[in-house]
Structure formats: C-alpha cells, structure tokens
Amino acid sequence: MNMECLMSRDVIVVGGGPAGMMAAIAAAESGAAVRLLEPNERLGKKLNITGKGRCNLTNDCGFEEFFENVPCNARFLYSAYAQFDSVCVKEFFSDEGVPLKVERGNRVFPVSDRAFDISGALEKRMKRLGVRVIRDRAEALMFQDGCLSGVAGGKGNYHAGRVVVTTGGVS
Ligand SMILES: Cc1cc2nc3c(=O)[nH]c(=O)nc-3n(C[C@H](O)[C@H](O)[C@H](O)COP(=O)(O)OP(=O)(O)OC[C@H]3O[C@@H](n4cnc5c(N)ncnc54)[C@H](O)[C@@H]3O)c2cc1C
C-alpha cells in the first residue's frame, strides 16, 4: 500500500453545494490543504434557489422534535446531528455575519430572505481558510498501488490521499 498518499494533508472535495462547502470547511479547519472541484461558475447553485430563494437553512427545535419530523431513516442522521445540530448551524451563520430569523413552524431563514447570503457566508469562510476552488468536473477516482490517489477531472488530474464526494442528487 502507498503510505505516501495516506499521510498527505491534501483533501479533494468533489461538488460545491452546501455539503461540499461544509466538508471543505471542516477539513481545512482540521489542518488539511483542501481543493474543491465544481464545474459550475457559481458555488451552491441549487442552494440559492431553495426555500423560494430564501433558504430554510434549519429548524429551531430540539433533538426529539427534529427526528420526529425526519420522514425516513432518521437513524442515519444521528451521528452527524449529534456533532453539529441546529444550534451549531445557527451559530455558524451568525458568526459569519448573517442574522437569522425564525418563522412559522420553527423554520429558520436569513433576515435578508436571500439564500445568496447563506452560500456567500460558506464561500467567505472557505476563502479565509485557503480552500482552493477549481472549476472542473470529476470524472473518476484514481488509485495507485491499491490506494486512493486522487481524482481525474475533465481538465486535469488532482492528487490527494483523501477524497470527499458530495455531488448531491437529482432535483
Ligand atoms: C426547489 C428546491 C427547494 C429546496 N428548498 C430547500 C430548503 O428550503 N431548505 C433545505 O434545507 N433544503 C432545500 N432543498 C434541498 C437542498 O437543495 C438540498 O438538500 C441541498 O442542495 C443538497 O446539498 P448537496 O451539497 O448535497 O448537493 P447539491 O446542492 O446538489 O450540490 C452538489 C454539487 O455537486 C456538483 N457536482 C455534481 N457532479 C459533479 C462532478 N462530477 N464533479 C464536480 N462537481 C459535481 C454540482 O454541480 C453541485 O454544485 C430544496 C431543493 C429544491 C430542488
């Protein structure tokens, strides 16, 4: 096994939606050198149309109520939510200078009613942490000596010992 790629600080995140941007931020905050691949000119393209352009970014409720309202396979979310719950989400965006409000049904929105403020805050945090955004589409994972060694993109190859795939789903 190629230990060099496992020891590398390099992380590639594939996809610049909210999941990819949060993953890039978390990796960079842990000391990784992060590159994010996204073919679209704008990051968070889908995020920017959510909640009719206002972005209902979380719900202001406790653990039990939150999980009662997850329609299926709620257990899948336990571990992630235990580490980063809706209080953390609200703190994250408030710290980035995005004031939030709570509406009917405990739905949380930016006071500005602009989803762009949410994607903008994520981009701002990534920039501060030195995450490099590369306008490219990932085409395949690369392997060397049985070990993950990076991502092959349309415009070039990107070497890294760790790859996070956050390419979303169909709308
Ligand atoms: C109309 C609508 C309204 C919604 N409203 C809300 C709401 O109010 N609140 C809410 O929480 N959720 C809402 N959602 C759901 C929300 O949009 C998704 O849950 C969220 O966008 C998922 O984020 P993601 O990062 O996983 O994926 P996405 O946002 O889909 O991002 C995936 C990214 O990966 C990129 N990508 C794909 N393939 C590749 C590749 N091969 N190489 C590189 N990059 C690639 C794509 O270009 C994209 O930018 C709504 C969805 C829709 C469609």
Side-chain angles (χ1 to χ4, degrees):
M1 185 175 286
N2 183 346
M3 291 308 286
E4 212 174 282
C5 56
L6 271 181
M7 304 289 284
S8 154
R9 281 177 59 243
D10 291 336
V11 170
I12 303 280
V13 176
V14 181
M21 289 192 274
M22 285 303 279
I25 288 166
E29 284 179 345
S30 304
V34 184
R35 284 169 293 170
L36 183 148
L37 300 190
E38 168 59 57
N40 286 327
E41 201 43 52
R42 282 209 82 117
L43 298 176
K45 204 171 167 190
K46 199 197 280 180
L47 173 75
N48 289 332
I49 58 162
T50 62
K52 296 186 180 149
R54 300 200 303 139
C55 189
N56 170 202
L57 64 143
T58 189
N59 268 61
D60 192 31
C61 63
F63 190 88
E64 277 177 22
E65 196 185 341
F66 185 92
F67 281 101
E68 272 165 24
N69 286 288
V70 177
C72 63
N73 200 13
R75 282 170 61 107
F76 177 73
L77 288 174
Y78 278 9
S79 163
Y81 193 79
Q83 290 177 63
F84 203 82
D85 62 11
S86 58
V87 174
C88 300
V89 174
K90 286 186 291 175
E91 267 172 21
F92 180 97
F93 288 101
S94 300
D95 289 351
E96 283 303 324
V98 183
L100 304 173
K101 61 180 173 180
V102 181
E103 294 193 1
R104 181 177 46 83
N106 294 332
R107 294 172 307 154
V108 179
F109 293 92
V111 168
S112 65
D113 283 331
R114 281 169 42 95
F116 280 100
D117 289 355
I118 298 301
S119 57
L122 291 167
E123 278 194 67
K124 205 167 82 185
R125 181 89 149 233
M126 287 201 305
K127 200 167 179 186
R128 228 172 35 241
L129 289 161
V131 173
R132 232 181 102 202
V133 177
I134 299 172
R135 304 291 168 195
D136 200 358
R137 174 177 296 280
E139 292 183 343
L141 295 175
M142 300 191 301
F143 294 88
Q144 194 187 338
D145 301 333
C147 175
L148 179 80
S149 63
V151 174
K155 297 179 185 167
N157 292 339
Y158 308 96
H159 295 277
R162 288 170 177 78
V163 175
V164 184
V165 179
T166 52
T167 48
V170 281
S171 301

